[in-house]
Amino acid sequence: MKKILIGALSGAVVVGAIFFFVMYREEDANQEQEVKGKRTVSADMELINEQNSIEKVIRTTYEQRSYDLSDPLVISDPYSAAPLTALVKFETGEPLEITVTVKGKTKGTDIVKTYNGYDTSHAIPVLGLYPDHENTVIVAGESEDGVVKQKTLSVTTEPLPEGFLTTELIESDPTKMENGLTFLIPSSELAYAVDSNGDVRWYSTFPNSHVLKRMENSNLLYVTKKGDKYNLILEMDMLGQVANAYEVTVSNYEGWGIIHHDAIELPNGNILATAHDGTQYIEDEMIEIDRETGELVDQLNFREIMPEDFYQEYDGPSAEDGDWFHQNAIWFDEDEGDILVSSRHQSLIMEMSYPEGEIDYILAAYEGWPEDYQDYLLEPIGEDFKFPGGPHSVMTLPDFDNNDATKDIMLFDNNIAVTRGDESVSEEYSRGVQYRINTEEMTVKEIWSYGKERGENFFSKYVSDANYLSETGNRLITSGYTQLEDGTMRSIVVEVTGEEDPEVVYELKVTGFEEGDHRQIYRAVRMPLYPEKWDFNLGQTG
């Protein structure tokens, strides 16, 4: 009887222990659920609906009377999104091909666009107006038999907004520069474009963070705010007409950048963007958004790819925020069908398959890598070789050596040893650098660089960019967060030739931001103000 009682009591203890364990695990799981925020990805129609209303007003106004080339309807900043633009709308009795010219202030700064094709109904976007200026705009129509008619218009614009960044021209040789305007893309606030004189010729009133790039259909991929966070991805044209908008929310994320550093258009048309997953870690996941529906269709987390101790034991910058990886760039390698990514806090560049996440190679110093990652690490060649430190902005380059086994990449080497790298030269300079990678032999060597020769004045602890310019072979390099001895902050944007001894052909100094206010220039790109193909259609929003 005693044994039975003891057995019964033992059973009760065991059952109680199991019950306690189950309850504890359930409570622990609930706590984890509370810690992990909810992420939502969806199409957003708010801006599109607003613009539909604007277009109704434009159409109603246009229908009130007749407009022709001699007396067109001129609407400045039609979508209240791009103040240095206008829309000119009119009818003609015979089909005409339209060319629009915004006269520049100096020789070589006219901005001209011919809209190919002949029509009798015309809605002509005008880009490249100067701020705070009475702009001269010439609209010319040529008939199929070569007869030209034209109208000269005057379009007056408002001054730039208060607090707009100051752009100072240091050097300019248009005969050696890549064609196009220089688009200056901040970490936060207003993105804008300047000409060869450094004059502002375009900006958007939609605040921007990190991402402004031209898509295959000639629209812009553009990250902006909804509320107080950068969580809205726009597809819009140069007038600010929005075709698609995608909102990403993370319920427990308190920072200002939900789409935090980059986004690209994939070959399937979807959007791949850097984001957060709502856990205790940030800036270590990419999400793929369906272009048609706005829904989340895939995701890739670097905690599933990198060694566990990289994130579990990380104690570098922003460790208290869980920012162990700090992904800051995505590049799609069209030749391989893979993606390249840049990580500031792991000081690495990595090429990998997407969406599988299978590593092809890792460009990083050797410290701290476990044995099972050794085969992915590239072996450096050359005495003067240096691994990147805290890098940004990776891209693939053309095949310079006609060797299928090699590929050239370009990136911005901030040269700050975060988790690995050469401490002896860390923070002495920053540079744009071109590497050549042999993927068969798993080797890497330096081919070209610019920035080291400028020393600490060109050192950028954060942000920055490096681009290859395909027409000239020049390189456009942005050292976005430089600081003078007196504490003055500035971004330096410089275009140099691709020679062994690079020549500066264009340089800008951007000031007006302060340390920590996130308004520095994150990246700069050179591209034509007008896309090559642009079939603007009033009423195509949504």
Side-chain angles (χ1 to χ4, degrees):
M1 184 70 179
K2 190 174 182 180
K3 287 183 179 179
I4 295 174
L5 180 60
I6 292 173
L9 288 171
S10 298
V13 170
V14 171
V15 171
I18 293 172
F19 178 75
F20 173 78
F21 177 75
V22 170
M23 290 297 292
Y24 175 81
R25 293 291 295 174
E26 185 176 333
E27 182 180 346
D28 189 50
N30 288 337
Q31 288 176 347
E32 288 184 5
Q33 189 70 24
E34 290 176 7
V35 169
K36 183 170 183 177
K38 181 181 179 181
R39 181 175 61 201
T40 63
V41 182
S42 61
D44 186 271
M45 294 298 295
E46 184 176 331
L47 269 175
I48 292 172
N49 290 335
E50 289 177 6
Q51 293 193 349
N52 285 338
S53 298
I54 290 172
E55 290 177 342
K56 287 180 181 178
V57 172
I58 293 174
R59 285 194 295 269
T60 299
T61 302
Y62 189 69
E63 291 166 359
Q64 298 303 307
R65 68 175 182 85
S66 297
Y67 294 92
D68 58 24
L69 179 56
S70 65
D71 182 25
L73 175 64
V74 180
I75 306 167
S76 296
D77 189 12
Y79 295 99
S80 299
L84 304 184
T85 71
L87 181 65
V88 180
K89 191 165 170 56
F90 57 93
E91 307 293 321
T92 54
E94 61 178 325
L96 298 180
E97 184 175 71
I98 304 300
T99 296
V100 60
T101 301
V102 175
K103 297 299 293 182
K105 292 181 178 179
T106 61
K107 183 180 179 181
T109 56
D110 289 359
I111 293 180
V112 183
K113 172 65 176 178
T114 296
Y115 291 92
N116 295 324
Y118 297 85
D119 209 336
T120 58
S121 184
H122 309 276
I124 306 300
V126 178
L127 309 179
L129 303 173
Y130 291 95
D132 195 19
H133 186 66
E134 186 176 337
N135 292 270
T136 298
V137 179
I138 301 171
V139 181
E142 183 175 356
S143 66
E144 292 178 283
D145 57 6
V147 177
V148 177
K149 302 175 183 178
Q150 70 177 41
K151 173 68 175 180
T152 299
L153 306 171
S154 179
V155 181
T156 301
T157 52
E158 296 293 325
L160 294 172
E162 185 177 351
F164 202 92
L165 294 176
T166 300
T167 308
E168 179 184 347
L169 182 68
I170 306 299
E171 179 69 39
S172 180
D173 185 349
T175 64
K176 297 181 179 180
M177 291 168 55
E178 185 91 356
N179 289 325
L181 296 192
T182 304
F183 285 75
L184 302 171
I185 304 159
S187 292
S188 179
E189 295 306 327
L190 301 183
Y192 63 104
V194 299
D195 62 16
S196 58
N197 287 335
D199 290 325
V200 177
R201 306 295 293 271
W202 183 91
Y203 74 95
S204 175
T205 53
F206 293 142
N208 182 273
S209 179
H210 300 128
V211 179
L212 184 160
K213 53 188 68 175
R214 192 154 277 159
M215 306 174 76
E216 284 296 316
N217 66 0
S218 297
N219 283 338
L220 294 179
L221 186 64
Y222 193 99
V223 170
T224 190
K225 282 182 176 180
K226 186 171 185 181
D228 62 348
K229 299 184 188 302
Y230 285 100
N231 61 349
L232 194 63
I233 302 174
L234 301 182
E235 178 188 342
M236 72 177 194
D237 67 17
M238 298 303 295
L239 290 177
Q241 184 191 52
V242 177
N244 289 297
Y246 313 101
E247 182 183 9
V248 181
T249 66
V250 179
S251 62
N252 65 341
Y253 183 69
E254 297 180 356
W256 53 272
I258 289 181
I259 304 299
H260 55 82
H261 279 89
D262 209 357
I264 64 169
E265 179 185 14
L266 292 170
N268 63 8
N270 289 346
I271 307 301
L272 184 64
T274 57
H276 317 286
D277 67 353
T279 65
Q280 69 194 79
Y281 300 105
I282 64 171
E283 301 193 5
D284 63 355
E285 181 159 285
M286 295 182 292
I287 58 173
E288 182 179 344
I289 301 171
D290 187 289
R291 181 86 160 273
E292 299 298 323
T293 66
E295 296 176 351
L296 178 68
V297 294
D298 218 329
Q299 55 199 13
L300 182 62
N301 194 294
F302 288 97
R303 297 197 303 277
E304 298 174 358
I305 299 170
M306 292 283 98
E308 285 188 1
D309 62 344
F310 277 27
Y311 54 90
Q312 291 179 349
E313 300 177 16
Y314 175 73
D315 61 358
S318 303
E320 67 279 6
D321 299 322
D323 190 8
W324 67 277
F325 194 71
H326 196 93
Q327 183 188 0
N328 54 40
I330 316 170
W331 180 269
F332 184 80
D333 183 346
E334 295 181 357
D335 292 334
E336 301 293 335
D338 291 339
I339 60 171
L340 285 86
V341 300
S342 170
S343 164
R344 180 182 190 268
H345 290 173
Q346 295 301 324
S347 289
L348 68 79
I349 301 296
M350 179 166 59
E351 180 157 346
M352 57 194 290
S353 65
Y354 177 81
E356 299 83 7
E358 296 175 355
I359 300 171
D360 293 330
Y361 65 78
I362 297 171
L363 172 61
Y366 285 11
E367 301 102 296
W369 290 97
E371 183 65 30
D372 52 348
Y373 284 80
Q374 295 297 318
D375 288 345
Y376 300 123
L377 298 174
L378 296 171
E379 178 185 352
I381 296 175
E383 294 181 1
D384 296 329
F385 183 91
K386 191 186 87 66
F387 284 108
H392 287 75
S393 179
V394 63
M395 69 180 299
T396 56
L397 302 184
D399 183 4
F400 287 107
D401 64 349
N402 296 314
N403 183 349
D404 291 340
T406 65
K407 67 170 61 181
D408 286 20
I409 65 171
M410 189 169 187
L411 57 94
F412 190 88
D413 174 16
N414 294 73
N415 186 31
I416 178 169
V418 182
T419 49
R420 54 184 57 84
D422 190 345
E423 295 278 0
S424 67
V425 297
S426 180
E427 303 190 34
E428 290 185 359
Y429 58 87
S430 294
R431 61 182 185 155
V433 57
Q434 176 183 346
Y435 293 102
R436 181 162 296 157
I437 296 167
N438 188 310
T439 53
E440 293 181 0
E441 299 176 0
M442 292 297 284
T443 59
V444 58
K445 62 180 179 180
E446 288 188 21
I447 300 299
W448 180 94
S449 70
Y450 176 83
K452 181 179 179 180
E453 55 269 59
R454 298 182 64 154
E456 290 185 1
N457 285 337
F458 204 67
F459 170 69
S460 179
K461 186 175 183 179
Y462 306 111
V463 305
S464 304
D465 190 23
N467 294 308
Y468 173 78
L469 304 178
S470 59
E471 292 181 7
T472 58
N474 292 348
R475 290 91 199 278
L476 186 66
I477 301 170
T478 303
S479 191
Y481 199 79
T482 70
Q483 188 171 27
L484 298 177
E485 290 183 2
D486 63 2
T488 300
M489 301 302 302
R490 60 182 184 170
S491 297
I492 300 171
V493 179
V494 58
E495 180 181 356
V496 298
T497 59
E499 301 158 346
E500 185 176 350
D501 184 16
E503 176 189 357
V504 175
V505 299
Y506 184 64
E507 183 167 342
L508 301 172
K509 180 175 72 174
V510 181
T511 56
F513 62 92
E514 297 180 359
E515 186 174 5
D517 72 3
H518 304 294
R519 296 198 306 132
Q520 68 276 342
I521 302 304
Y522 181 82
R523 52 170 56 104
V525 297
R526 178 71 52 76
M527 61 184 181
L529 182 57
Y530 286 95
E532 184 177 350
K533 296 179 180 179
W534 184 12
D535 185 19
F536 173 78
N537 180 14
L538 186 68
Q540 71 179 7
T541 55

